[in-house]
Amino acid sequence: MTRPAIVWLRRDLRLADQAAFVAAAACGPVIPVYVLDDETPKHRMMGGASRWWLHHSLSALDADLRKRGSRLVLRRGVAADVLADLARETDAAAVHCLRHYEPWWRNAERALKAALPDGCALECHPGNYLMPPGSVTTGAGQPYKIYTPFWRALAQHMPPPKPVPAPDALDGPKAWPKSDTLVDWKLLPTKPDWATGFGEEWTPGEAGAADRVEAFLDKAKHYEDRRNLPSIEGTSRLSPHLHFGEISPATVWHATMQAGGSVEVFLKELVWRDYAQNVIAQYPDYGKANARDAFDAFPWRDPADSEVKADVEAWQQGRTGYPLVDAGMRQLWATGWMHNRVRMVAASFLIKHLLVDWRVGEAWFWDTLVDADYGSNATNWQWTSGSGVDSNMFVRIMAPLTQSDKFDAAGYIRQWVPELADLSDKDIHDPEAAGKFVKGYPKKRIAHKQARERALAAHAKIKT
Ligand code: FAD
């Protein structure tokens, strides 16, 4: 009998347009494996919200595989060691995977290559991005640092290849290797179960991702006008599906193009995801190190100080006294997701109004977002703080009250900050200024003007 091939799954939990499955199935029997590895990523192990998603996504993938005569093998431990052992146990001829760019996965790919038994090769394929990160380069052969020229160069290579459909059937090995049981991994929260709202919002898995795309196609032509309005569901909400690889970006690209209308603005957003990977491929420490050295001397407030701790807690709990920020932070807690415009405002608020190091916010998002992504999260936090490789945005201090009014956030605030629901569209953005005392709703942690002046003064210290 032909020796089997292992498909090592990570953030590529799909059967359609999945090059690792295509390559493995072309050689013979396939053993799909997911390794729960909390050791290789160290402090970057998945956060709570991601673990909720992972549980449901793995369960959906196993069901999809079983319909095709296959199944998902679950193992736990250091991925490189677990896979090398499994390759010996099953006499696998190869391990196929999609290449990942988080620094710990790059290390794991190197370690696995070295650990595999003779006669078993590691084959890493592209497919989780529109173009392999690092492959879009300047005329001088250098990777891009800034988004706009990156987009222009990448667009020259578009459209991406047409997606490959999921296989109808997959051959399995003569005897299946032993598997852990998903429930034993305890990925879901219990006491307390803070994820009760997640299930109402999301359907993890490949079918859920396909439904999201389908639902978005009608909205795609209005994307440009509506994407910044948090009160309307004007964006695709594909981010967790894309993050976990339940749908390929090429599939999203082609589906959106077919929707017709002006979809370029949406495609440009999709390319931010590629850009973020392109950044971490160049700067593996981007999630913890300022790209601009000057920011190492930034006079952030001391996180150990009790007043700062109280400010951070108020931000996390959506009790800052700024309704738009609070609505966003509560949406995040309840659903594991936040509207992009509100993410920008909430991040800017923590960094500039509260003068707290961007890494504190990045860590909170890492734990609470269902789409928490090393590249996208770090790139966006560093972009907001101005410490990143792109333009210095620190001095662009977003005014949460003006943003709330400008982007018509009244409905959004009513949904997520119900104690303000009875206020008029005019007063709801800033109840304090309108002289409306609302029982149970806090006063502003700091006035906007005072915060702005404090932030600019702090920034001036590093400029000189
Ligand atoms: P759509 O507007 O429908 O966009 C389609 C897809 O394009 C998204 O699903 C996403 O994959 C990609 N995309 C859009 N905008 C961005 C962007 N700015 N950066 C990277 N990719 C983008 N996105 C994540 O996927 N994971 C994160 O951890 C993450 N952290 C963020 C932190 C901050 C402080 C900010 C300001 C933004 C962050 N984003 C992150 C980007 C963005 O907010 C989300 O991708 C977007 O809100 C997801 O909603 P959507 O799927 O409806 O997006």
Side-chain angles (χ1 to χ4, degrees):
M1 176 152 176
T2 322
R3 291 165 70 202
I6 291 171
V7 170
W8 174 25
L9 294 151
R10 284 172 287 178
R11 298 194 299 91
D12 41 21
L13 305 177
R14 64 176 181 273
L15 291 169
D17 206 26
Q18 222 289 18
F21 273 113
V22 175
C27 303
V30 178
I31 305 176
V33 181
Y34 186 89
V35 183
L36 181 63
D37 182 354
D38 285 334
E39 293 166 62
T40 303
K42 298 197 179 90
H43 66 284
R44 280 292 168 181
M45 64 190 249
M46 264 184 224
S50 299
R51 292 169 105 78
W52 177 89
W53 191 285
L54 178 67
H55 175 99
H56 295 290
S57 192
L58 292 176
S59 168
L61 181 62
D62 184 48
D64 289 343
L65 283 164
R66 283 175 190 268
K67 282 182 209 151
R68 291 164 172 83
S70 182
R71 66 178 71 166
L72 184 59
V73 174
L74 302 175
R75 294 275 172 109
R76 188 170 198 160
V78 175
D81 299 344
V82 169
L83 289 159
D85 288 346
L86 189 65
R88 271 184 282 273
E89 183 188 325
T90 57
D91 189 30
V95 176
H96 291 273
C97 67
L98 293 198
R99 195 177 285 289
H100 284 53
Y101 295 86
E102 288 86 349
W104 59 92
W105 285 139
R106 288 163 69 178
N107 290 340
E109 285 164 15
R110 276 192 287 273
L112 176 58
K113 201 168 179 195
L116 284 173
D118 288 345
C120 179
L122 174 64
E123 305 283 350
C124 300
H125 305 270
N128 260 359
Y129 300 97
L130 292 164
M131 293 284 288
S135 68
V136 180
T137 53
T138 63
Q142 294 302 312
Y144 286 95
K145 293 189 172 28
I146 310 288
Y147 169 79
T148 304
F150 175 79
W151 148 258
R152 281 200 209 105
L154 183 138
Q156 303 297 316
H157 301 273
M158 295 293 108
K162 280 265 164 64
V164 180
D168 293 332
L170 276 171
D171 277 351
K174 245 196 328 217
W176 280 96
K178 269 201 276 184
S179 170
D180 291 357
T181 310
L182 191 53
V183 280
D184 289 344
W185 283 1
K186 296 189 170 44
L187 296 169
L188 300 177
T190 47
K191 289 179 193 158
D193 178 5
W194 39 259
T196 46
F198 286 29
E200 288 159 31
E201 179 65 41
W202 305 107
T203 308
E206 203 165 353
D211 288 349
R212 278 277 179 206
V213 174
E214 190 62 33
F216 177 63
L217 294 186
D218 264 355
K219 298 176 190 161
K221 38 186 153 326
H222 305 294
Y223 180 81
E224 185 171 1
D225 305 330
R226 297 186 182 165
R227 71 194 175 112
N228 277 312
L229 306 177
S231 302
I232 291 176
E233 201 174 313
T235 66
S236 69
R237 302 204 179 191
L238 277 167
S239 51
H241 298 289
L242 280 162
H243 168 75
F244 281 93
E246 297 168 353
I247 189 162
S248 74
T251 305
V252 176
W253 184 287
H254 284 284
T256 316
M257 291 296 280
Q258 275 164 23
S262 161
V263 292
E264 186 175 293
V265 178
F266 174 76
L267 297 175
K268 273 184 165 170
E269 287 303 308
L270 189 62
V271 169
W272 272 99
R273 183 175 169 273
D274 269 60
Y275 168 73
Q277 293 297 312
N278 173 72
V279 171
I280 60 158
Q282 295 175 70
Y283 302 92
D285 282 346
Y286 213 64
K288 61 174 188 228
N290 295 308
R292 286 171 188 259
D293 295 343
F295 272 77
D296 291 346
F298 195 97
W300 301 114
R301 287 164 75 216
D302 178 4
D305 182 295
S306 59
E307 210 176 294
V308 180
K309 276 190 182 156
D311 277 350
V312 171
E313 246 175 61
W315 177 78
Q316 291 172 337
Q317 294 170 0
R319 299 192 53 77
T320 65
Y322 284 80
L324 181 59
V325 174
D326 294 342
M329 297 308 291
R330 294 188 200 186
Q331 180 186 31
L332 173 61
W333 184 254
T335 68
W337 186 89
M338 196 197 299
H339 187 278
N340 180 57
R341 167 66 39 186
V342 191
R343 288 189 204 200
M344 291 197 283
V345 173
S348 170
F349 185 86
L350 180 77
I351 296 168
K352 298 161 196 178
H353 283 68
L354 300 182
L355 217 56
V356 170
D357 192 326
W358 63 268
R359 284 164 280 221
V360 174
E362 195 275 344
W364 182 251
F365 273 29
W366 180 259
D367 198 25
T368 53
L369 278 171
V370 285
D371 63 26
D373 182 279
Y374 182 71
S376 294
N377 205 27
T379 305
N380 280 284
W381 277 96
Q382 292 233 41
W383 177 83
T384 309
S385 75
S387 56
V389 284
D390 30 27
S391 49
N392 183 350
M393 293 288 288
F394 190 93
V395 288
R396 186 177 157 204
I397 296 176
M398 285 182 150
L401 306 168
T402 317
Q403 290 275 317
S404 183
D405 190 23
K406 181 172 171 196
F407 294 108
D408 215 2
Y412 180 74
I413 294 170
R414 283 196 187 96
Q415 182 181 2
W416 295 110
V417 192
E419 62 268 37
L420 300 181
D422 291 337
L423 295 184
S424 70
D425 278 9
K426 186 165 156 284
D427 295 342
I428 200 165
H429 308 292
D430 189 358
E432 212 174 301
K436 306 281 174 190
F437 171 75
V438 178
K439 197 165 171 240
Y441 189 68
K443 293 186 105 180
K444 293 189 186 102
R445 300 293 300 180
I446 183 168
H448 174 65
K449 187 164 174 286
Q450 186 193 347
R452 190 183 143 77
E453 283 164 7
R454 179 174 72 174
L456 291 175
H459 185 251
K461 292 196 181 135
I462 63 158
K463 274 204 293 189
T464 48

